[in-house]
Amino acid sequence: MGVTEVILAINYQPEAMARFLKDYESKLGMKITCSQETEPLGTAGPLALVKDKLIDESGSPFFVLNSDVICEFPLEKMIKFHKAHGGEASIMVTKVDEPSKYGVVVMEETTGKVERFMEKPKSFVGFWMDIGQPRYYITGLGLYLDSLRNKGSSKLSSGSHIHGNVLIEESAVIEGDCVFGPNVAIGPECVVEEGVTLSRCTVMRGARINKHACISNCIIGWNSTVGQGACIEDMIILGDDVYGYDKISCNGRVPPS
């Protein structure tokens, strides 16, 4: 049996997060529990809040993941490795361009046993990226979509209007004469009207893109609207329920709501 329960350590808008996650419990077939921090507890502190859930009589291991990292996690290989060596914990590491920025690991070459946190880490096949900043989120989206392509995933969209990797949720409504790609994700319950061009962007749940809008290198937040004929590009980020006026042109700053 694989992962059956996910526990999320949350702080900001816990009620909204809990409502959002309810949809995914049935979709993913697993229990999702939220553990709220009433004060900042640091990186490891939230684990103490759910200690009783993590440590039980079964002695089953659990994964600890940062939510702002996108990665092709080899979880099955990792759990087999962990059970085989019998140690207290296992850490997955990879190479990065700036090791000093993330911290690095020195390990015993033959066994993988961690000796200290100083030198270059061991790599794995796949991808990894910290997506805690918007521009890295867009790059991380591209890595994820590339991963789906390499696996031959049926989730990716196809058609004459699709250029490169594009992911469209089934409940999204797409009108004609649109051009999507590369690296586009359109969330559930979105509406994209005719003649829209999207590239290197994420359109989140419930957003609406009106006719002939052009969006590039942007994040369109939940329930937001981009006006007819609008052109927004270069890391414009619309938050929740923001309205961008018709024919507005924005480059690198948040438009008025």
Side-chain angles (χ1 to χ4, degrees):
M1 182 179 292
V3 175
T4 58
E5 181 176 3
V6 173
I7 303 173
L8 295 178
I10 62 175
N11 181 289
Y12 181 67
Q13 294 189 347
E15 295 83 5
M17 180 69 77
R19 290 195 300 269
F20 176 79
L21 293 171
K22 280 295 180 183
D23 293 341
Y24 284 88
E25 280 194 311
S26 56
K27 184 177 181 180
L28 298 175
M30 63 174 62
K31 182 179 180 181
I32 301 178
T33 303
C34 291
S35 174
Q36 183 185 358
E37 296 179 51
T38 56
E39 59 181 348
L41 298 176
T43 301
L47 294 177
L49 292 180
V50 292
K51 180 179 179 181
D52 293 341
K53 292 181 177 293
L54 298 176
I55 302 176
D56 56 26
E57 295 179 356
S58 69
S60 298
F62 55 88
F63 295 104
V64 179
L65 309 173
N66 287 326
S67 62
D68 63 349
V69 168
I70 185 170
C71 179
E72 193 174 25
F73 295 108
L75 297 181
E76 290 186 3
K77 291 181 179 179
M78 190 173 180
I79 198 69
K80 289 179 181 178
F81 171 78
H82 175 72
K83 290 180 177 180
H85 69 62
E88 186 71 20
S90 299
I91 303 175
M92 187 178 72
V93 296
T94 188
K95 291 181 179 179
V96 294
D97 292 334
E98 300 179 47
S100 61
K101 183 178 179 181
Y102 300 101
V104 291
V105 176
V106 177
M107 66 187 73
E108 189 176 300
E109 188 67 27
T110 56
T111 65
K113 183 178 180 180
V114 174
E115 296 179 348
R116 62 189 186 279
F117 294 90
M118 288 183 64
E119 300 293 339
K120 293 181 179 180
K122 187 177 180 180
S123 65
F124 70 96
V125 177
F127 66 87
W128 180 96
M129 188 168 190
D130 185 331
I131 56 172
Q133 298 183 39
R135 66 180 182 274
Y136 297 144
Y137 178 89
I138 296 297
T139 303
L141 170 65
L143 292 174
Y144 172 66
L145 296 178
D146 279 342
S147 173
L148 293 182
R149 175 70 65 188
N150 292 335
K151 293 176 180 177
S153 174
S154 60
K155 293 180 179 180
L156 292 176
S157 300
S158 60
S160 59
H161 64 301
I162 301 295
H163 301 277
N165 297 328
V166 175
L167 181 65
I168 303 175
E169 283 284 341
E170 292 182 359
S171 60
V173 177
I174 310 297
E175 297 185 0
D177 297 323
C178 294
V179 178
F180 300 151
N183 298 340
V184 170
I186 300 174
E189 302 170 21
C190 291
V191 176
V192 182
E193 294 187 353
E194 66 180 70
V196 168
T197 300
L198 303 177
S199 65
R200 297 180 179 86
C201 64
T202 294
V203 182
M204 296 185 175
R205 177 189 291 269
R208 185 181 190 92
I209 314 299
N210 288 334
K211 295 179 181 179
H212 306 295
C214 181
I215 301 172
S216 177
N217 287 305
C218 296
I219 300 172
I220 308 302
W222 302 272
N223 305 306
S224 289
T225 299
V226 175
Q228 180 174 328
C231 180
I232 59 176
E233 57 187 355
D234 292 341
M235 292 318 305
I236 294 292
I237 304 163
L238 301 186
D240 187 6
D241 197 21
V242 174
Y243 183 85
Y245 294 112
D246 292 350
K247 299 182 180 179
I248 192 172
S249 179
C250 293
N251 185 318
R253 64 183 182 87
V254 178
S257 60

